[in-house]
Amino acid sequence: MSSPAAPPAPSDDDLTLPPGDELVVVTDDGARLAVTVAGPAGADGPVVVMPHCWTGTRAVWVPVARRLLAEGRRVVLYDQRGHGASSPGGAPLTIDRLGDDLATVLRYLDLPDVVLVGHSMGGMTVMAFACRHPDLLGGVRGVVLAATAAHGMSTPARERLWRMALWRSWVDVPMGWPPLGRLLVRGTFGVRPRRAHVEATRAMFVATEAGVRRDSVVAMGDMDLRAGLGAVDVPATVLLGTRDTLIANPLTRAIADSLRGASLTELAGAGHMLPFERPDEVAAAVRDMAGSGRRR
């Protein structure tokens, strides 16, 4: 008697969070971080922890997480403070604070063997964590940094654009109309994005409170992690989309100059939203890091 066929894998259009344990991790300033822990508790290899981008949520990582879970890996997704289901907390939003939040999650979950995977502001989170918490780096097998930067996010032209178009609550009016909002965020993608991913990016932007968007932009503009990265010794892979219009390619390439031993992979035709656009390549980078990165 033949065994029943396995159910078809969900489409990448489906951004439903994977089944797992839903937790709340409270930081020292009272932020309540919504966390999903999925995958087998006894999985071999490191746990994969993935902070997300500016105005995103942990759902950004679902296509990548689904691939890792299919391999039997354990993954941790969480909403950054002020994003998704997480509260902003009482402290000012800075990149250093986001790095401290990541340390809080790792300590709370007692994760001594991890691969850290950060996209955009999530990559900045990972780098800030690495600079500020050397006591925890011994448990980090390696890091994957996608479409991100360690400095240079504050220029007069960029600040004018972001102040006019992104900080103000009135931008929610055009962004709140799906056809126009999708047109406005389309430029963050490379060639042939999925409509569901463009729509999810629009909806997550609108769902992020304007003050959190503003504070995050200020935090990224104030950030310069290069000096601290020079003292970080951890295997790293940097992923870059050649059509990224949000973070200039030279800023992403510069991470490899600051973080010793980092390798750089350029994904032709990809834009800024690599977890949506290139989940196979991102998952492959995680797989390589989990297998060849530093062991405890």
Side-chain angles (χ1 to χ4, degrees):
M1 188 176 191
S2 61
S3 59
S11 164
D12 281 340
D13 288 353
D14 180 0
L15 300 180
T16 304
L17 292 173
D21 296 328
E22 297 296 326
L23 309 172
V24 174
V25 175
V26 182
T27 67
D28 60 1
D29 71 314
R32 297 174 61 84
L33 306 180
V35 180
T36 299
V37 182
D44 292 334
V47 176
V48 183
V49 183
M50 296 182 277
H52 65 74
C53 56
W54 174 68
T55 73
T57 72
R58 55 194 146 154
V60 167
W61 283 116
V62 165
V64 177
R66 193 171 284 140
R67 286 159 170 78
L68 299 175
L69 290 167
E71 299 171 3
R73 301 191 184 277
R74 193 160 173 82
V75 302
V76 175
L77 314 175
Y78 69 96
D79 289 340
Q80 302 241 49
R81 61 173 55 221
H83 293 71
S86 293
S87 65
L93 196 160
T94 65
I95 300 303
D96 284 348
R97 171 55 66 169
L98 297 182
D100 294 345
D101 289 348
L102 175 55
T104 299
V105 170
L106 296 181
R107 289 193 176 102
Y108 181 88
L109 297 176
D110 190 22
L111 299 178
D113 186 15
V114 298
V115 169
L116 305 177
V117 189
H119 169 235
S120 192
M121 190 176 75
M124 301 169 197
T125 299
V126 170
M127 289 185 282
F129 161 83
C131 294
R132 292 173 60 80
H133 296 277
D135 58 309
L136 295 178
L137 280 183
V140 177
R141 187 82 64 99
V143 303
V144 177
L145 305 168
T148 188
H151 81 292
M153 295 298 291
S154 179
T155 65
R158 185 184 299 275
E159 285 184 354
R160 284 195 299 272
L161 170 65
W162 286 22
R163 184 176 293 112
M164 292 173 60
L166 303 179
W167 289 16
R168 309 299 185 183
S169 58
W170 53 256
V171 77
D172 291 338
V173 174
M175 288 291 286
W177 184 40
L180 181 54
R182 287 193 293 271
L183 182 63
L184 292 174
V185 302
R186 171 61 182 84
T188 63
F189 290 80
V191 298
R192 295 185 297 277
R194 290 174 177 263
R195 178 187 174 93
H197 295 166
V198 177
E199 169 57 23
T201 302
R202 180 205 68 81
M204 288 185 291
F205 179 95
V206 172
T208 306
E209 196 270 327
V212 173
R213 298 197 302 250
R214 178 197 64 228
D215 293 346
S216 301
V217 167
V218 172
M220 289 186 282
D222 290 342
M223 170 198 67
D224 191 340
L225 301 172
R226 288 174 294 177
L229 287 178
V232 171
D233 182 15
V234 62
T237 296
V238 180
L239 302 178
L240 172 155
T242 60
R243 293 198 178 191
D244 191 338
T245 59
L246 287 188
I247 296 182
N249 284 176
L251 295 180
T252 305
R253 294 189 186 104
I255 296 171
D257 296 330
S258 299
L259 189 55
R260 53 184 171 178
S263 64
L264 175 68
T265 298
E266 301 196 6
L267 303 177
H272 184 69
M273 299 301 292
L274 296 184
F276 281 161
E277 298 180 66
R278 299 295 181 88
D280 288 324
E281 288 92 332
V282 177
V286 175
R287 186 184 310 117
D288 292 344
M289 189 60 68
S292 62
R294 180 176 59 199
R295 297 180 183 272
R296 290 178 292 158

